[in-house]
Amino acid sequence: MSISLTPDQERFIQTKLQAGKYRSAEEALEIALRLLDEYDRADAEWVEDVREKIDAAILASDQTPPINGETFVNQILKRFRQRHQAQPLRDCEFGVVLG
């Protein structure tokens, strides 16, 4: 197989070779392809993880009675206020309480 690189891609590889990061263009491409494979695998794992979480959320929602939207928002606000009162925000640099 032969491939064609854009001028920018060629410059990129040449820069890496001149810096001594890789011994050859083939080595740089081999590493790039290995990283692409790792990326694809991680992406597939992430998609599967999200699907499982969505399925679990759907199952939980099927087993949970519906709630009024206003009640839902009020419950979230109540939890937020409770956490905010229990753990006031602090400015990390100066140790000043913000809220």
Side-chain angles (χ1 to χ4, degrees):
M1 172 192 306
S2 75
I3 60 170
S4 298
L5 300 175
T6 67
D8 285 342
Q9 292 167 332
E10 286 184 30
R11 276 192 296 278
F12 179 79
I13 291 174
Q14 286 300 325
T15 300
K16 297 298 181 185
L17 294 173
Q18 290 170 357
K21 287 201 141 283
Y22 308 100
R23 293 181 298 248
S24 67
E26 290 80 11
E27 180 186 17
L29 290 172
E30 181 182 327
I31 291 169
L33 291 172
R34 191 174 327 127
L35 289 171
L36 179 60
D37 185 49
E38 288 177 21
Y39 173 83
D40 286 345
R41 289 178 195 200
D43 186 54
E45 289 174 13
W46 180 83
V47 168
E48 183 59 30
D49 185 48
V50 169
R51 282 188 179 133
E52 289 173 6
K53 289 177 180 177
I54 290 171
D55 289 344
I58 290 170
L59 182 62
S61 71
D62 288 343
Q63 299 171 359
T64 304
I67 186 170
N68 173 291
E70 186 176 342
T71 303
F72 177 75
V73 170
N74 286 335
Q75 288 175 352
I76 291 174
L77 291 173
K78 180 179 176 183
R79 279 190 247 152
F80 175 79
R81 286 184 193 109
Q82 288 171 342
R83 287 188 183 143
H84 181 67
Q85 289 171 353
Q87 302 170 346
L89 298 175
R90 297 187 179 274
D91 183 302
C92 295
E93 187 175 345
F94 301 106
V96 176
V97 175
L98 297 176

